[in-house]
Amino acid sequence: MSGKPNNDQHYTRFILIFVVIRLALNLFAISHFGFQRDELLHLALGDHLGWGFKEVPPFIALLAKISTTIFGDSVFATRIFSTIASGLLIWFTGRLVVEFGGGKFGIALACLAQMCSPAFLASGYLFQPVVFDQLWWLMSAYLVVRYVNTGIPKYLYLLGIVVGIGLLTKYTMAFFVAALLISLLLTNQRKVLWNRHVLVSVLIALIIFLPNIIWQFVHHLPLVTHMKNLRTEQLNYIKPTDFIKQQILVNGIALFVWLPGLISLIFSSKLNKYRFLAWTYLLVFVFLLEMNGKDYYLFGAYPMLFAAGGFLFESWINARHYVLRTTIAALFVLPNLILLPIALPILPLDQTIKTFAALHIAPKWEDQKEHPLTQDYADMFGWDEMGEKVARIYRSLTPDKQKHTQIYADNYGEAGAIYHYGKPYHLPEVASLNSSFTLWAPDSLSAKYIIYIDDKGGGNVAGRLAHFVGKYVKLDSVRSEWAREKGTAIFLITDPKPELNSIYQKELARKRLE
């Protein structure tokens, strides 16, 4: 194998086999459990379209609007686009193997390694920007490789479109693009940058991204505030050693595919002209290590390493050694299947919990404590219960009292749950000063009755609000055993004093300036 691109189109059908398998895996699992916290926020964003939001660029909101319009707003429907993105990740991984000059064994090993990786199983089905961010990173790498192999300018123009959309999806796209440009400068492929087509590509990306840049400045750069809060509340707790450990573990046994792939991109003469991909990975890795980045920020850089690893093993093992090739593929793929229920909800809840216990896995959450389920799984329970209980309390009020009632939620997950599950009950729109709900929060909180969702189980009402209300009574709480929101209390506040509204308005004004 020479490392020259293999353009034989019969590989297309072969790659599609793995795409279909990946799609089938997701379709089997995506309706299990319920909405994850972030998904409820993203659905709400879809009903409040804009060129930006407090915590994410606008792409996920637009996709939410398209998704609910075409497919509806069920859990299954909401995750269809994420499933499609997961399939496309497999597709471009396979195509990248072909660009490297690989054949069927390289394609199979790379696609299967990625498909069964716990990192990609866990991030590839939820309706979040993460899986789309991974897709844009991979597509960017593929398009640059494609241009290196062909010299056709259209691939640079397409790269501009992908980068622009990527920046509208998740700002981490900027890390990858910066690393990619620096890596090209550090290698023999720097010549790629010295032509007018690159300038056109940059211009295309800037034009696509410009509306969000303008939105950021008009809204007082909420990205800066979001990053400060993220660092204070989460990133400062991430140790460099933990980040390194997670990068070694997140892909499971597939480590032995992507790591040789990385090494081969650096040292192999067959992949010499694609060496910039290795430096891209390493630069992003070092940057995230220095910035205390979350482990999943780097996931988008692994598919290109899987592709290089697949090519490497194919070049090492002659096609006549069919048994050895099969053994290698099984060795680097099948052990990850043990972790399948940990990463993808393919089993009922009780069996999933037993699997965690049997494997002696106690995941750490953002609170840095160990729990019996992953945080994502725990964030999929209790929301429907919360919405139904709030609706029941609201409907228990007389029609006259309902006219003078507002609903307030402490965090965006609760607000998203009330917003989503409250629609059939025609609840008043929920107010919250958390996350992007601040952007459309009512200007005042002055109703005679307030249904208050307290994420401290009563601590906020009793500790902060008691002096500013006439009366408050706890009417219910989230009791779902495995919900992260277990214990969240639902209060009915009566006769709030004007001071409460004054505090609310000052806080709202402050948050809108952040």
Short mmCIF file of all heavy atoms in Angstrom, two decimals, residues 319-344:
data_model
loop_
_atom_site.label_atom_id
_atom_site.label_comp_id
_atom_site.label_asym_id
_atom_site.label_seq_id
_atom_site.Cartn_x
_atom_site.Cartn_y
_atom_site.Cartn_z
N ALA A 319 -3.29 -9.01 2.86
CA ALA A 319 -4.67 -9.45 2.64
C ALA A 319 -4.81 -10.96 2.70
O ALA A 319 -5.90 -11.49 2.98
CB ALA A 319 -5.18 -8.93 1.29
N ARG A 320 -3.71 -11.69 2.44
CA ARG A 320 -3.78 -13.15 2.48
C ARG A 320 -3.95 -13.66 3.91
O ARG A 320 -4.42 -14.77 4.12
CB ARG A 320 -2.51 -13.75 1.88
CG ARG A 320 -2.37 -13.55 0.37
CD ARG A 320 -1.04 -14.04 -0.13
NE ARG A 320 0.07 -13.27 0.48
CZ ARG A 320 1.36 -13.53 0.25
NH1 ARG A 320 1.69 -14.57 -0.51
NH2 ARG A 320 2.29 -12.79 0.82
N HIS A 321 -3.58 -12.84 4.87
CA HIS A 321 -3.68 -13.24 6.28
C HIS A 321 -5.06 -12.85 6.82
O HIS A 321 -5.19 -12.00 7.71
CB HIS A 321 -2.56 -12.60 7.09
CG HIS A 321 -1.20 -13.00 6.64
ND1 HIS A 321 -0.12 -12.14 6.67
CD2 HIS A 321 -0.73 -14.17 6.11
CE1 HIS A 321 0.95 -12.76 6.20
NE2 HIS A 321 0.59 -14.00 5.85
N TYR A 322 -6.06 -13.48 6.25
CA TYR A 322 -7.44 -13.13 6.56
C TYR A 322 -7.77 -13.39 8.03
O TYR A 322 -8.43 -12.56 8.69
CB TYR A 322 -8.39 -13.93 5.67
CG TYR A 322 -9.85 -13.70 5.94
CD1 TYR A 322 -10.50 -12.59 5.42
CD2 TYR A 322 -10.60 -14.59 6.71
CE1 TYR A 322 -11.84 -12.36 5.66
CE2 TYR A 322 -11.94 -14.37 6.97
CZ TYR A 322 -12.56 -13.26 6.45
OH TYR A 322 -13.88 -13.03 6.70
N VAL A 323 -7.29 -14.49 8.56
CA VAL A 323 -7.57 -14.84 9.95
C VAL A 323 -6.96 -13.80 10.89
O VAL A 323 -7.59 -13.38 11.87
CB VAL A 323 -7.05 -16.25 10.28
CG1 VAL A 323 -7.22 -16.55 11.77
CG2 VAL A 323 -7.78 -17.30 9.45
N LEU A 324 -5.72 -13.40 10.61
CA LEU A 324 -5.05 -12.41 11.45
C LEU A 324 -5.79 -11.08 11.41
O LEU A 324 -5.96 -10.41 12.44
CB LEU A 324 -3.60 -12.24 11.00
CG LEU A 324 -2.77 -11.23 11.81
CD1 LEU A 324 -2.74 -11.61 13.29
CD2 LEU A 324 -1.36 -11.13 11.24
N ARG A 325 -6.21 -10.68 10.22
CA ARG A 325 -6.97 -9.42 10.11
C ARG A 325 -8.26 -9.48 10.91
O ARG A 325 -8.61 -8.53 11.62
CB ARG A 325 -7.29 -9.13 8.63
CG ARG A 325 -6.12 -8.59 7.84
CD ARG A 325 -6.54 -8.13 6.45
NE ARG A 325 -5.50 -7.37 5.79
CZ ARG A 325 -5.66 -6.69 4.66
NH1 ARG A 325 -6.86 -6.70 4.06
NH2 ARG A 325 -4.66 -6.01 4.13
N THR A 326 -8.95 -10.61 10.80
CA THR A 326 -10.21 -10.77 11.53
C THR A 326 -9.96 -10.74 13.04
O THR A 326 -10.72 -10.13 13.80
CB THR A 326 -10.89 -12.09 11.15
OG1 THR A 326 -11.11 -12.12 9.73
CG2 THR A 326 -12.23 -12.24 11.85
N THR A 327 -8.89 -11.38 13.45
CA THR A 327 -8.54 -11.43 14.87
C THR A 327 -8.23 -10.02 15.40
O THR A 327 -8.68 -9.64 16.49
CB THR A 327 -7.33 -12.34 15.10
OG1 THR A 327 -7.64 -13.65 14.63
CG2 THR A 327 -6.97 -12.40 16.58
N ILE A 328 -7.48 -9.27 14.64
CA ILE A 328 -7.13 -7.90 15.03
C ILE A 328 -8.38 -7.04 15.17
O ILE A 328 -8.56 -6.30 16.15
CB ILE A 328 -6.16 -7.26 14.01
CG1 ILE A 328 -4.79 -7.92 14.11
CG2 ILE A 328 -6.05 -5.76 14.22
CD1 ILE A 328 -4.07 -7.63 15.41
N ALA A 329 -9.26 -7.14 14.18
CA ALA A 329 -10.49 -6.35 14.22
C ALA A 329 -11.34 -6.72 15.43
O ALA A 329 -11.87 -5.84 16.14
CB ALA A 329 -11.29 -6.55 12.93
N ALA A 330 -11.46 -8.03 15.69
CA ALA A 330 -12.25 -8.47 16.83
C ALA A 330 -11.61 -8.02 18.15
O ALA A 330 -12.31 -7.59 19.07
CB ALA A 330 -12.38 -10.00 16.81
N LEU A 331 -10.29 -8.10 18.22
CA LEU A 331 -9.57 -7.74 19.45
C LEU A 331 -9.74 -6.27 19.79
O LEU A 331 -9.86 -5.90 20.96
CB LEU A 331 -8.09 -8.07 19.27
CG LEU A 331 -7.18 -7.83 20.48
CD1 LEU A 331 -7.59 -8.74 21.64
CD2 LEU A 331 -5.73 -8.05 20.10
N PHE A 332 -9.76 -5.40 18.77
CA PHE A 332 -9.81 -3.96 19.00
C PHE A 332 -11.22 -3.39 18.96
O PHE A 332 -11.39 -2.17 19.07
CB PHE A 332 -8.94 -3.24 17.96
CG PHE A 332 -7.47 -3.53 18.11
CD1 PHE A 332 -6.62 -3.35 17.05
CD2 PHE A 332 -6.96 -3.98 19.32
CE1 PHE A 332 -5.25 -3.61 17.18
CE2 PHE A 332 -5.61 -4.26 19.47
CZ PHE A 332 -4.75 -4.07 18.39
N VAL A 333 -12.21 -4.25 18.79
CA VAL A 333 -13.60 -3.77 18.70
C VAL A 333 -14.51 -4.44 19.73
O VAL A 333 -15.21 -3.76 20.50
CB VAL A 333 -14.16 -3.99 17.28
CG1 VAL A 333 -15.65 -3.66 17.25
CG2 VAL A 333 -13.40 -3.13 16.27
N LEU A 334 -14.51 -5.77 19.77
CA LEU A 334 -15.49 -6.51 20.57
C LEU A 334 -15.46 -6.18 22.07
O LEU A 334 -16.54 -6.10 22.68
CB LEU A 334 -15.30 -8.02 20.35
CG LEU A 334 -15.62 -8.52 18.95
CD1 LEU A 334 -15.45 -10.04 18.87
CD2 LEU A 334 -17.06 -8.15 18.56
N PRO A 335 -14.29 -5.99 22.70
CA PRO A 335 -14.31 -5.67 24.14
C PRO A 335 -15.12 -4.42 24.46
O PRO A 335 -15.70 -4.32 25.55
CB PRO A 335 -12.82 -5.47 24.46
CG PRO A 335 -12.12 -6.35 23.50
CD PRO A 335 -12.90 -6.21 22.23
N ASN A 336 -15.18 -3.47 23.53
CA ASN A 336 -15.97 -2.26 23.78
C ASN A 336 -17.47 -2.53 23.84
O ASN A 336 -18.23 -1.73 24.40
CB ASN A 336 -15.69 -1.21 22.71
CG ASN A 336 -14.48 -0.36 23.06
OD1 ASN A 336 -13.98 -0.39 24.19
ND2 ASN A 336 -13.99 0.40 22.10
N LEU A 337 -17.90 -3.65 23.26
CA LEU A 337 -19.33 -3.96 23.28
C LEU A 337 -19.82 -4.23 24.70
O LEU A 337 -21.01 -4.07 25.00
CB LEU A 337 -19.60 -5.17 22.39
CG LEU A 337 -19.35 -4.96 20.89
CD1 LEU A 337 -19.69 -6.24 20.11
CD2 LEU A 337 -20.16 -3.78 20.35
N ILE A 338 -18.92 -4.62 25.58
CA ILE A 338 -19.28 -4.82 26.99
C ILE A 338 -19.78 -3.51 27.60
O ILE A 338 -20.66 -3.50 28.46
CB ILE A 338 -18.08 -5.36 27.79
CG1 ILE A 338 -17.63 -6.71 27.23
CG2 ILE A 338 -18.39 -5.46 29.28
CD1 ILE A 338 -16.33 -7.22 27.85
N LEU A 339 -19.21 -2.40 27.11
CA LEU A 339 -19.55 -1.09 27.64
C LEU A 339 -20.73 -0.44 26.93
O LEU A 339 -21.10 0.68 27.27
CB LEU A 339 -18.33 -0.16 27.53
CG LEU A 339 -17.06 -0.64 28.26
CD1 LEU A 339 -15.90 0.31 27.94
CD2 LEU A 339 -17.29 -0.71 29.75
N LEU A 340 -21.29 -1.15 25.97
CA LEU A 340 -22.38 -0.57 25.18
C LEU A 340 -23.53 -0.02 26.03
O LEU A 340 -23.97 1.12 25.82
CB LEU A 340 -22.89 -1.61 24.18
CG LEU A 340 -23.85 -1.11 23.08
CD1 LEU A 340 -23.19 -0.04 22.24
CD2 LEU A 340 -24.27 -2.27 22.19
N PRO A 341 -24.04 -0.77 27.03
CA PRO A 341 -25.15 -0.23 27.83
C PRO A 341 -24.75 0.96 28.70
O PRO A 341 -25.61 1.72 29.15
CB PRO A 341 -25.57 -1.41 28.71
CG PRO A 341 -24.96 -2.62 28.07
CD PRO A 341 -23.71 -2.15 27.43
N ILE A 342 -23.46 1.10 28.97
CA ILE A 342 -22.95 2.22 29.76
C ILE A 342 -23.02 3.52 28.96
O ILE A 342 -23.28 4.59 29.51
CB ILE A 342 -21.50 1.97 30.20
CG1 ILE A 342 -21.38 0.65 30.97
CG2 ILE A 342 -20.95 3.12 31.01
CD1 ILE A 342 -22.18 0.63 32.24
N ALA A 343 -22.79 3.41 27.66
CA ALA A 343 -22.71 4.60 26.81
C ALA A 343 -23.98 4.89 26.05
O ALA A 343 -24.29 6.06 25.76
CB ALA A 343 -21.55 4.43 25.82
N LEU A 344 -24.74 3.85 25.73
CA LEU A 344 -25.95 4.00 24.91
C LEU A 344 -27.09 3.28 25.61
O LEU A 344 -26.95 2.12 26.00
CB LEU A 344 -25.70 3.38 23.53
CG LEU A 344 -26.67 3.69 22.40
CD1 LEU A 344 -26.63 5.18 22.03
CD2 LEU A 344 -26.34 2.85 21.16
#
